Amino acid sequence: MNEFLLIFRRDAEATAVQRSPEQMQTMMNYWREWIGGIAAQNKLVAVGNRLDTNGSVIKPDNVVTDGPYVEVKEAIGGYSIIKASSLEEATELSKGCPILSVGGSVEVRPIIPMEV
Amino acid sequence: MQQDQLLPHLFRSEYQKIIAVLCHYFGFEHIEAAEDIASDTFLTAAETWGIKGLPDNPKAWLYTVARNKATDYVRRGTRFNQKIVEGFDAEENYEVEIDLSDQNISDSQLQMMFAICHPVLSAEAQIGLALRILCGFGIDEIAEAFLTNKETINKRLFRAKEKLRERKVKIVFPEAADIVSRLGIVLKTLYLLFNEGYYSSCQSTTLRKDLCLEAMRLNYLLIENEQTNLPEVNALLSLMCFHASRFDARMDEAGEMIRYDDQDRTLWNDELIAKGRHYLNLASKGNEAGKFHIEAAIAYWHTVKTDTPEKWENILMLYNRLLIAAYSPAAALNRTYALAKVKGKEKAIIEAEKLKLDSNHLYHVLLGYLYTSVDNQKAASHLQTALKQAKTPADKSRIMKDLKALL
């Protein structure tokens, strides 16, 4: 089994849309069900974290800019780590991610193990 | 109480107290002596009471005899040491103060609980020792509970005691700073002890119930002590109360399991459900919500008698949380069952097929249930696999019944 980092990206402007508490609750349930389904297969390594939308970017010569994004559409919203036997399987597991239903994306990246 | 039941009853309640106090006094070096003295005390009682009739206060009588026997043992040991060790301070050990007050009994039992639940011992060894020393179970009863023979249990307990001696484990209450970390193992052992009774395939219903009650009693000892009365401890007791509330409903006269859906809900014990709620409330003080909190909440929803959508949605969500916190095959299977209740069998089948627990007979039982009335042929094939994998007669006959109902 190899580990994979799932990076959840979403359009920061689109997600800023006001949602009702019921919609938020539904959204939360979708996430929990999706990640619960991965955990039920014993393939969840770390549930990870969700990230705040603000932040700063430090560039050479200590140039600091607000906001972490190159493109607003590509803001990283959070990450989780899963395990799977192949990139294909990890990709398959990611297809149910609720971020896809709000126009976001999941980037699946194999983690290079320390011992190869 | 009937006279002929008095001695067994006293044995149940007092043997463990005497042992805990004596072990505490002697240390693990002399644990066999403590067991011998406690057993001998009851033997003396059986003989004496048989001839002379019952004393006015049987409990006090037992304590006095145990105290005298312990004093003799220490004296003999001292004299022996005197002969072989030169310059041994003869006076030092002569005064024996075996304190059998209620306070010292529960203190000794608590300290013993922490000593037994030591990381050097396997969970099986911890439970075995707990049953022997903290619950006063006989070797044959422990063997029956573990579905094994007396020799195996004797060996297991012997090795466990050796290990504790080698490690010089002290029978003391942990330092305040260590309580939380040490408590984790204690709670895990109590949890397993309870499960041993609740899920064991041992045939004797009385024995199974006793195991559960003992786990609850020991858990309650932790609640009575101010230092160990922590949210997690209350959460575990709440979980046990909720589970135990279905004890009479989940087994038929033949000792066979009745599935949750088929249970007579009027047999659920409301008093235990109320107690479970009480301890769940106490567990909610503070910010932590550990594994036992989630499991207690799941168990709470199972005590709700009507099958509302809300009930199963909550159970599903809680299983998701439990799995995110820590994977276990049982949680994965139960989550899928809850999913079937919320989203229907077809959806659950898709999720179930992903679990890949093919060597677990309960997995095939679950798939058998899910496929029933969706694809009965597949259901039957899974139940047949389950039948091949099941080990105990009770499991096999349960699966046979499901199979027959299908054909």
Side-chain angles (χ1 to χ4, degrees):
Chain A
M1 283 278 178
N2 301 308
E3 295 188 357
F4 296 84
L5 176 70
L6 307 187
I7 304 159
F8 310 121
R9 295 178 193 277
R10 58 167 181 240
D11 188 331
E13 280 177 351
T15 32
V17 172
Q18 285 290 317
R19 289 169 203 277
S20 71
E22 289 73 23
Q23 282 172 315
M24 304 280 260
Q25 180 63 42
T26 313
M27 202 59 198
M28 193 177 107
N29 288 352
Y30 285 154
W31 275 95
R32 225 180 241 166
E33 256 176 64
W34 174 66
I35 210 91
I38 292 173
Q41 300 172 55
N42 199 14
K43 284 173 184 161
L44 182 70
V45 177
V47 71
N49 284 296
R50 303 313 103 184
L51 305 178
D52 206 338
T53 40
N54 60 10
S56 64
V57 178
I58 298 96
K59 290 181 174 166
D61 300 323
N62 284 338
V63 176
V64 177
T65 56
D66 286 346
Y69 2 93
V70 191
E71 278 273 343
V72 176
K73 278 199 169 108
E74 291 175 352
I76 297 175
Y79 61 91
S80 296
I81 299 174
I82 62 169
K83 56 186 172 185
S85 51
S86 63
L87 177 62
E88 286 68 33
E89 194 199 347
T91 307
E92 203 54 45
L93 286 168
S94 305
K95 281 185 180 166
C97 181
I99 203 136
L100 304 171
S101 66
V102 290
S105 69
V106 184
E107 184 175 329
V108 186
R109 303 283 298 269
I111 293 175
I112 296 173
M114 276 308 284
E115 284 163 38
V116 280
Chain B
M1 184 178 298
Q2 296 286 316
Q3 286 224 350
D4 59 347
Q5 278 166 25
L6 181 71
L7 199 60
H9 171 78
L10 280 172
F11 188 89
R12 269 263 177 275
S13 62
E14 304 309 319
Y15 178 89
Q16 70 220 7
K17 294 182 188 166
I18 293 172
I19 275 208
V21 169
L22 292 181
C23 281
H24 179 225
Y25 181 78
F26 291 139
F28 274 121
E29 293 80 3
H30 299 274
I31 190 167
E32 276 89 4
E35 287 180 73
D36 286 347
I37 291 170
S39 303
D40 204 35
T41 300
F42 278 90
L43 196 64
T44 311
E47 288 169 6
T48 316
W49 301 357
I51 300 168
K52 297 190 176 170
L54 290 179
D56 290 340
N57 185 344
K59 202 168 113 176
W61 191 97
L62 288 171
Y63 288 180
T64 308
V65 172
R67 205 179 283 122
N68 291 342
K69 284 183 192 293
T71 312
D72 279 351
Y73 173 80
V74 174
R75 286 226 178 96
R76 257 184 286 129
T78 314
R79 246 178 247 146
F80 179 68
N81 283 338
Q82 249 177 316
K83 279 182 188 163
I84 53 165
V85 185
E86 249 183 297
F88 186 85
D89 183 359
E91 296 307 308
E92 193 184 36
N93 281 334
Y94 259 77
E95 285 304 311
V96 181
E97 194 52 59
I98 307 278
D99 176 3
L100 280 154
S101 64
D102 287 350
Q103 183 62 44
N104 194 49
I105 287 172
S106 59
D107 285 354
S108 299
Q109 288 190 315
L110 268 184
Q111 291 171 12
M112 187 57 93
M113 220 189 291
F114 277 102
I116 289 174
C117 298
H118 195 278
V120 295
L121 298 181
S122 68
E124 271 186 340
Q126 290 175 9
I127 297 172
L129 272 186
L131 285 174
R132 181 78 190 126
I133 299 175
L134 291 171
C135 314
F137 277 50
I139 299 294
D140 36 357
E141 285 173 309
I142 302 175
E144 197 185 337
F146 279 111
L147 300 176
T148 177
N149 54 38
K150 282 167 80 166
E151 288 71 43
T152 311
I153 296 297
N154 268 324
K155 268 187 214 156
R156 187 182 296 167
L157 295 188
F158 179 79
R159 274 198 296 265
K161 286 183 240 174
E162 278 297 310
K163 261 194 186 163
L164 292 176
R165 272 191 285 251
E166 277 165 23
R167 289 295 182 106
K168 297 195 167 48
V169 173
K170 291 260 182 308
I171 306 171
V172 290
F173 203 75
E175 301 279 325
D178 296 337
I179 287 180
V180 173
S181 65
R182 294 286 304 279
L183 201 55
I185 309 179
V186 174
L187 293 182
K188 196 177 147 224
T189 306
L190 295 186
Y191 176 76
L192 292 173
L193 177 59
F194 184 88
N195 284 357
E196 198 59 45
Y198 203 69
Y199 299 106
S200 125
S201 22
C202 128
Q203 294 293 308
S204 160
T205 315
T206 328
L207 179 56
R208 300 169 55 137
K209 220 178 199 173
D210 277 349
L211 288 172
C212 292
L213 288 176
E214 282 298 320
M216 290 166 84
R217 180 181 68 83
L218 294 175
N219 197 332
Y220 190 68
L221 271 181
L222 293 170
I223 285 181
E224 278 187 317
N225 184 296
E226 204 185 321
Q227 279 179 285
T228 49
N229 187 12
L230 298 169
E232 200 73 359
V233 179
N234 285 280
L236 181 58
L237 188 57
S238 153
L239 168 64
M240 291 181 185
C241 289
F242 287 141
H243 276 326
S245 73
R246 283 194 303 283
F247 212 103
D248 293 328
R250 62 199 279 281
M251 215 104 59
D252 64 14
E253 286 92 2
E256 245 173 64
M257 286 283 289
I258 301 174
R259 212 185 283 119
Y260 181 79
D261 280 342
D262 305 331
Q263 287 170 11
D264 175 358
R265 294 180 182 203
T266 59
L267 290 178
W268 292 359
N269 185 322
D270 290 326
E271 202 184 320
L272 277 170
I273 295 174
K275 272 200 179 144
R277 285 175 164 212
H278 170 73
Y279 290 113
L280 191 56
N281 274 332
L282 292 176
S284 313
K285 287 179 183 158
N287 293 321
E288 52 179 321
K291 178 176 172 282
F292 295 136
H293 282 89
I294 304 176
E295 285 201 48
I298 292 171
Y300 159 72
W301 278 105
H302 278 89
T303 65
V304 174
K305 288 177 182 157
T306 39
D307 269 359
T308 57
E310 186 202 10
K311 168 178 167 176
W312 288 102
E313 273 162 23
N314 274 295
I315 291 174
L316 175 60
M317 282 307 145
L318 287 161
Y319 270 121
N320 282 331
R321 270 180 67 185
L322 189 62
L323 280 161
I324 292 166
Y327 170 81
S328 78
L333 294 174
N334 287 327
R335 169 190 184 266
T336 314
Y337 181 79
L339 195 76
K341 292 276 188 188
V342 176
K343 304 238 156 129
K345 285 183 168 183
E346 279 86 354
K347 280 242 166 124
I349 287 171
I350 299 171
E351 288 287 299
E353 299 282 4
K354 293 179 189 164
L355 297 184
K356 306 267 183 284
L357 292 167
D358 296 278
S359 56
N360 185 331
H361 78 276
L362 293 173
Y363 177 57
H364 294 286
V365 170
L366 175 71
L367 280 166
Y369 162 80
L370 293 176
Y371 272 118
T372 300
S373 75
V374 175
D375 182 342
N376 280 355
Q377 221 172 338
K378 274 200 171 172
S381 130
H382 278 294
L383 287 175
Q384 267 147 6
T385 312
L387 191 60
K388 269 183 225 146
Q389 290 174 342
K391 285 183 188 74
T392 66
D395 283 345
K396 282 182 196 290
S397 100
R398 170 80 251 170
I399 298 166
M400 282 291 272
K401 265 189 196 160
D402 286 352
L403 256 173
K404 269 187 199 145
L406 203 59
L407 300 170

